[in-house]
Amino acid sequence: MLKKITNLLTATIILAASTFGFSAYAAPIVVKFSHVVAENTPKGQAALKFKEIAEKKLPGKVEVQVFPNSQLFGDGKEMEALLLNDVQIIAPSLSKFDRYTKKIQVFDLPFIFKDGNAALAFENSKEGKALLTSMKGKGLIGLDYWSNGMRHFSANKDFKLPKDIKGLKFRIQASDVYEEIMKSVGASGQKMAFAEVYQALESGVVDGQENSFSNTYSQKYHEVQKTILETNHGVLDYMVVVNEKWWDGLPADIKKGLSEAMHEATILNNQIAKQKNDDARAAILASSAANPKHAKIVKLTDAELAEWKKAMEPVYKRFEADIGVDLIKAAASHSNKK
Ligand code: LMR
């Protein structure tokens, strides 16, 4: 008799739970976060931090699954996967949004930011924040920017000036601005997914590439390149984006918890980004000292740097109409130029 009553009670509770959605019986919402870089990078670490905080803030309500190293989706596929809700969060480099908005191309203009802090100041400005919602009509919402670091060119030969890379082929991200940048110095750019770059450099499919020290070191590009020229020609930062429909459909408490977790992950990311890049630079120097076949890091004098800037200047004109003069001015204002 007692058993019967207990069974009846259990059945009633389960029925009530399924009818009214009691969370004690609901499965956690799975949030897949896919990215293309190694775990020991600013983005890799920040994604893990987001998982840790989100699951702590929303115990039993969300499960965040992080997939690094293009394990789940690589470049080219991750944006489509997000729109299909096959993945819920991605954090592509700002060079990879060409197809969704022309405005974000502003980040790729050569030498527009004198350093990572200038880029961060623009990201936190009114104009920078407005870009987070500029792809709403396309189904994407940006939650935040994450910093990585400044970009530098590397090649399988010694080079110092634009004329030295004439005719060489460089792997570039899926960015029309970078295609023009390479043309402006007489080289060519080949758009290629991040996961394919090491192999392409090693086999000579491309002669060079451009990236942050953190990516260069964690992907071992320095082992298959001869020279890394410290050009600081651009910033490699990210926008953390979600599928608009999925995000808007989340229960209020989940959305709040995930937003707070994202905020904390952003703070961590931006605190560690510079250090991670400085450490990677030091590790590349050590590696080149121990093995002369590994790339050396070459610095530029002011006069040499001026040659790179001058050669790339026409790129601005080419994209001015698409991006908008005011936005270019706003971005450049944080470096006290233009
Ligand atoms: C690249 O493709 O080189 C970078 O965008 C990779 C990344 O996410 O840092």
Side-chain angles (χ1 to χ4, degrees):
M1 182 65 179
L2 192 65
K3 198 163 173 237
K4 248 190 177 164
I5 293 174
T6 315
N7 283 349
L8 198 67
L9 219 57
T10 310
T12 313
I13 290 170
I14 290 174
L15 185 69
S18 62
T19 311
F20 300 110
F22 292 165
S23 64
Y25 287 86
I29 295 176
V30 174
V31 181
K32 291 187 185 159
F33 188 156
S34 168
H35 66 81
V36 299
V37 293
E39 277 191 341
N40 189 23
T41 58
K43 179 160 63 180
Q45 292 293 297
L48 291 174
K49 189 74 180 174
F50 170 74
K51 171 184 168 65
E52 180 197 316
I53 301 171
E55 291 180 351
K56 206 183 275 169
K57 278 185 188 290
L58 300 163
K61 293 187 177 175
V62 298
E63 180 190 337
V64 179
Q65 299 174 354
V66 180
F67 300 90
N69 289 314
S70 310
Q71 264 166 24
L72 190 61
F73 297 107
D75 287 333
K77 290 275 180 295
E78 63 177 12
M79 213 79 93
E80 280 161 40
L82 186 76
L83 289 169
L84 291 169
N85 205 25
D86 289 340
V87 58
Q88 285 69 46
I89 305 183
I90 59 174
S93 130
L94 294 165
S95 301
K96 296 176 184 170
F97 289 93
D98 269 17
R99 275 192 294 154
Y100 301 90
T101 167
K102 297 288 174 211
K103 300 227 167 279
I104 292 180
Q105 290 180 321
V106 69
F107 287 96
D108 279 357
L109 290 173
F111 299 102
I112 192 155
F113 301 113
K114 71 171 190 296
D115 54 26
N117 284 337
L120 198 57
F122 173 61
E123 290 159 9
N124 287 328
S125 72
K126 178 170 66 68
E127 294 86 355
K129 289 219 168 98
L131 291 175
L132 292 172
T133 49
S134 63
M135 294 176 287
K136 264 191 148 189
K138 305 263 164 63
L140 300 172
I141 304 187
L143 297 185
D144 240 326
Y145 292 101
W146 283 1
S147 304
N148 181 330
M150 298 307 283
R151 294 153 82 139
H152 314 282
F153 288 103
S154 75
N156 56 10
K157 62 172 274 191
D158 287 331
F159 69 110
K160 217 156 187 220
L161 295 172
K163 67 176 171 49
D164 303 330
I165 59 168
K166 230 182 166 125
L168 296 194
K169 196 188 281 177
F170 283 73
R171 177 269 173 169
I172 54 170
Q173 301 184 40
S175 156
D176 290 349
V177 178
Y178 268 90
E179 203 160 40
E180 287 300 316
I181 287 177
M182 296 324 305
K183 275 191 208 157
S184 73
V185 290
S188 63
Q190 182 167 334
K191 293 178 180 171
M192 188 184 288
F194 186 60
E196 291 163 26
V197 182
Y198 177 85
Q199 194 86 45
L201 291 170
E202 191 190 29
S203 64
V205 166
V206 290
D207 304 294
Q209 59 90 43
E210 55 82 46
N211 227 310
S212 66
F213 280 125
S214 154
N215 278 347
T216 298
Y217 183 65
S218 57
Q219 299 297 315
K220 301 190 184 349
Y221 299 158
H222 63 293
E223 294 185 7
V224 286
Q225 294 278 267
K226 195 159 182 201
T227 300
I228 299 168
L229 192 63
E230 223 165 352
T231 41
N232 288 293
H233 58 273
V235 72
L236 176 63
D237 281 2
Y238 309 106
M239 190 185 284
V240 187
V241 279
V242 292
N243 175 316
E244 183 181 356
K245 228 170 161 183
W246 170 77
W247 183 250
D248 286 347
L250 286 174
D253 62 327
I254 305 278
K255 204 168 173 179
K256 181 168 176 284
L258 292 181
S259 299
E260 287 169 3
M262 184 55 66
H263 183 64
E264 289 186 38
T266 299
I267 292 173
L268 173 94
N269 181 92
N270 296 352
Q271 272 168 358
I272 64 171
K274 181 160 185 331
Q275 193 59 50
K276 284 248 168 263
N277 276 282
D278 289 350
D279 292 349
R281 184 181 184 280
I284 292 170
L285 283 175
S287 163
S288 124
N291 187 339
K293 282 207 164 129
H294 292 182
K296 58 189 171 304
I297 297 175
V298 175
K299 278 178 170 292
L300 289 168
T301 63
D302 288 349
E304 287 161 349
L305 187 61
E307 286 205 31
W308 287 91
K309 288 185 179 171
K310 187 159 174 265
M312 293 178 183
E313 185 66 30
V315 174
Y316 279 73
K317 268 270 158 292
R318 162 79 177 69
F319 291 95
E320 207 174 73
D322 277 348
I323 298 170
V325 177
D326 289 347
L327 191 58
I328 295 176
K329 274 201 182 128
S333 70
H334 300 278
S335 303
N336 301 322
K337 51 180 198 172
K338 286 208 185 299

